[in-house]
Amino acid sequence: MRRRLDLTFPPRQAKKPITWHLVRDFDLVPNILRAQIQPGQYGRMVVEVSGKREDIEAAMAFLAHEGLEVRPAASDIALDEERCVVCGLCTAVCKPGAMVLGERAELVFDKDKCVYCEACVSACPRRAVTLSF
Amino acid sequence: MAKSWEEINARIASGDAVVLTAEEFAQVAAEDGVKAAARKVDVVTTGTFGPMCSSGAFLNFGHADPPIKMGEIELNDVPASGGLAAVDTYLGVTEPSRTRGIEYGGAHVIEDLLRGRAVRLRARGPGTDCYPRTEIDTWVTLDDLNQAYLFNPRNAYQNYAVAVNSTDRTLRTYLGTLLPKYGNATYCSSGSLSPLLNDPTYRAIGVGTRCFVAGAPGFVAWEGTQHNPNQARDDNGVPVAPSGTLAVIADLKAADAGFFSAATMSGYGVSAFVGVGVPIPVLDEDLAATLALTDAQLSATVFDYGVARRSRPNLGTVTYEELRGGAIEVEGRKVPCGPISSLAVARRIAEDLKRWVAEERFTLSAPLRPLPGPGAPPFKPLEERGEPEPVLGAEEASGDA
């Protein structure tokens, strides 16, 4: 199975090779979607892990034991076309290029490129982009 | 070859007028030349749909029984101005809700009214002989109001800044989220469709000009606040940075929520997307030449919003064609960019206005008074200073009166 996790690292954990433990101790395949980790500060990582259900659950228990805050990460992102006014502001903050303006100034949303960074969610002045968990 | 306002209005009235959007006109001018385009076309329509903070509505509630002189007024918990007559108010779009903060503000109240939703009106008054009541708590819809009109002190900015951020932290601004270290750029103009970029020296747009405001037929009421015609201009006479503005007025009851959309700029505040479009008569070849300008010929100036001062560092100019391409060059770096003003809706406005003029015989009005043009008294910043000395002789003068 596959699960997307949103991890918050307390400052003292920022140096620990958490991902390596997921691979070696729990036989998981992690795919880091985004991470912001600096020594001595709170960090955040969104990682998609693939593996057996029991291994994922054991890994989550390990992460919590290590002092990380573990939450399920967004599993889907939706654009409410009724609310959207196609201003394009989401395209200005979408680094992976999942949201772009097309030939006729229409909004093109390519979900395959989305890394669930949520930048568009807070940038959208119409609150037309929503996440579901 | 010159055409008069009367000739153009006569052609509109008889259904013979040739009306094109500014984008279509530029194409005709590129193919046939400006001279032929000026001869062939009578009216060019424009449009813009971006966040315009300086907007709001005057509302009249009618009198309750017993009546109240409304002092503190709230609509869905958003404070409205109490400094008018007993049951009049002005609701500014940027006013945040007392309970929901910037996620719901004056703009959202106006959008709710436009969408036919009832809005909770709560007001308090001092209680006087003619207005004995001190409190009211009721619900109103747009239909219940006597007068409800948009009066937007500053709309349709003639060009705007391109914003970047040189600092190492994300900035939340009225131009959207600016990523650190020149991570992105944002801009806010419909470029070649923008009303005042098509008439850069205000020959056809002035006080009394009939126009499109939030889907309703409206008027230019005055020069907009912060109107600054003395901004730097290019060889075509077009400003390359924020310059002229329009104050516009229209009946809210005739407006359309599709052209008035509440907005929350995270970390900044409430605003409203307002649709403004102005039909411009092709009076002569000079005006045709500016109507024919394309995004490749129109520029905006890049400013560093990382420096929070009145004068932000100017990092050069870029064309709207480059901006539309999704990336610009700033200080030798390639910077991805995105708009905060909807080109898709601006095009709908220009198309709707074209239909109004061509099919519904929406005639044009020549300015009753021109807007201040280049050479007008300079636009002043606010200088901080102590209380000024009393004017000599003022007391004697009032004593004589």
Side-chain angles (χ1 to χ4, degrees):
Chain A
M1 70 177 294
R2 196 174 282 189
R3 193 174 286 179
R4 195 171 282 140
L5 303 174
D6 186 341
L7 309 178
T8 303
F9 290 65
R12 65 183 165 77
Q13 283 288 14
K15 282 183 178 170
K16 196 153 186 170
I18 288 294
T19 324
W20 178 77
H21 282 290
L22 296 179
V23 177
R24 197 198 64 167
D25 301 345
F26 301 97
D27 202 22
L28 299 181
V29 180
N31 180 17
I32 299 173
L33 297 176
R34 66 194 169 102
Q36 189 169 28
I37 295 172
Q38 284 174 358
Q41 293 181 20
Y42 271 94
R44 192 164 167 218
M45 181 164 83
V46 178
V47 59
E48 191 174 73
V49 289
S50 315
K52 289 186 193 145
R53 178 189 297 272
E54 56 270 27
D55 288 338
I56 292 176
E57 278 165 11
M60 285 171 70
F62 158 77
L63 294 168
H65 183 259
E66 287 295 310
L68 275 73
E69 195 182 310
V70 185
R71 288 177 299 156
S75 58
D76 197 12
I77 192 159
L79 175 70
D80 181 343
E81 293 187 5
E82 290 283 303
R83 290 195 65 78
C84 175
V85 297
V86 205
C87 63
L89 188 44
C90 52
T91 69
V93 295
C94 183
K95 282 288 185 185
M99 286 186 173
V100 294
L101 289 171
E103 288 276 304
R104 296 176 313 283
E106 79 281 16
L107 186 60
V108 182
F109 179 27
D110 183 349
K111 263 191 193 179
D112 290 343
K113 289 186 180 166
C114 179
V115 299
Y116 301 88
C117 73
E118 302 172 28
C120 54
V121 176
S122 63
C124 175
R126 292 286 294 161
R127 304 291 184 251
V129 191
T130 50
L131 292 169
S132 48
F133 294 90
Chain B
M1 183 251 24
K3 284 182 246 181
S4 69
W5 288 86
E6 292 73 21
E7 283 168 340
I8 290 171
N9 273 337
R11 287 176 65 78
I12 293 171
S14 65
D16 297 328
V18 178
V19 189
L20 295 181
T21 69
E23 286 182 311
E24 291 166 340
F25 184 77
Q27 219 165 349
V28 170
E31 284 162 16
D32 303 350
V34 168
K35 211 173 185 168
R39 218 175 12 246
K40 195 187 294 182
V41 181
D42 300 302
V43 179
V44 171
T45 60
T46 61
T48 186
F49 189 72
M52 302 187 192
C53 286
S54 195
S55 300
F58 279 101
L59 311 172
N60 176 279
F61 301 110
H63 287 288
D65 188 21
I68 176 172
K69 183 180 192 309
M70 296 183 186
E72 294 163 43
I73 305 170
E74 285 178 12
L75 288 157
N76 281 356
D77 295 336
V78 179
S81 176
L84 301 168
V87 291
D88 285 331
T89 194
Y90 183 78
L91 177 65
V93 300
T94 68
E95 190 69 47
S97 153
R98 286 198 200 279
T99 48
R100 292 159 68 187
I102 63 170
E103 290 302 315
Y104 187 94
H108 299 84
V109 174
I110 295 173
E111 185 178 334
D112 276 348
L113 286 170
L114 276 174
R115 292 189 183 279
R117 297 175 186 141
V119 164
R120 187 175 188 179
L121 163 66
R122 284 190 287 190
R124 282 212 287 254
T128 66
D129 288 345
C130 42
Y131 299 111
R133 192 172 189 144
T134 57
E135 277 186 339
I136 192 163
D137 184 348
T138 183
W139 292 80
V140 293
T141 65
L142 190 53
D143 284 343
D144 297 329
L145 303 175
N146 291 308
Q147 283 73 31
Y149 52 92
L150 289 164
F151 191 105
N152 303 345
R154 181 166 71 250
N155 280 183
Y157 235 120
Q158 187 179 25
N159 219 337
Y160 212 75
V162 179
V164 294
N165 168 18
S166 64
T167 72
D168 55 10
R169 68 184 186 92
T170 297
L171 297 179
R172 308 282 186 176
T173 77
Y174 56 75
L175 275 165
T177 302
L178 298 176
L179 302 174
K181 296 281 177 204
Y182 304 99
N184 68 349
T186 58
Y187 62 100
C188 187
S189 172
S190 57
S192 62
L193 267 179
S194 181
L196 289 175
L197 288 182
N198 279 285
D199 180 19
T201 53
Y202 329 121
R203 291 186 54 211
I205 303 176
V207 177
T209 294
R210 294 186 81 195
C211 58
F212 175 111
V213 179
F219 294 91
V220 174
W222 206 249
E223 70 195 60
T225 53
Q226 272 174 221
H227 176 80
N228 177 15
N230 296 319
Q231 190 58 272
R233 289 173 184 257
D234 64 16
D235 293 343
N236 294 311
V238 184
V240 295
S243 44
T245 66
L246 301 177
V248 297
I249 189 167
D251 187 359
L252 187 64
K253 295 188 183 201
D256 177 344
F259 299 108
F260 182 99
S261 305
T264 295
M265 310 305 277
S266 292
Y268 173 73
V270 190
S271 190
F273 287 89
V274 183
V276 178
V278 185
I280 299 174
V282 188
L283 295 172
D284 54 35
E285 283 164 28
D286 285 345
L287 196 46
T290 54
L291 291 168
L293 294 174
T294 63
D295 282 343
Q297 296 162 298
L298 295 164
S299 302
T301 306
V302 183
F303 291 100
D304 180 4
Y305 275 59
V307 178
R309 296 300 303 269
R310 185 162 70 202
S311 296
R312 298 187 169 96
N314 173 334
L315 305 177
T317 58
V318 290
T319 68
Y320 279 98
E321 187 178 48
E322 290 168 311
L323 289 163
R324 298 273 178 235
I328 54 170
E329 199 180 297
V330 181
E331 306 271 271
R333 303 171 176 80
K334 191 180 172 201
V335 178
C337 60
I340 72 167
S341 159
S342 175
L343 181 60
V345 182
R347 284 180 173 154
R348 273 177 47 208
I349 293 167
E351 285 292 341
D352 278 8
L353 196 45
K354 178 176 150 182
R355 190 172 43 74
W356 287 10
V357 176
E359 295 171 22
E360 298 175 22
R361 316 282 199 262
F362 186 83
T363 51
L364 315 185
S365 50
L368 299 169
R369 196 196 107 150
L371 302 179
F379 176 66
K380 297 187 291 296
L382 174 63
E383 301 298 356
E384 291 171 69
R385 52 182 165 235
E387 187 179 358
E389 292 293 318
V391 180
L392 283 176
E395 277 179 33
E396 290 89 327
S398 62
D400 289 343

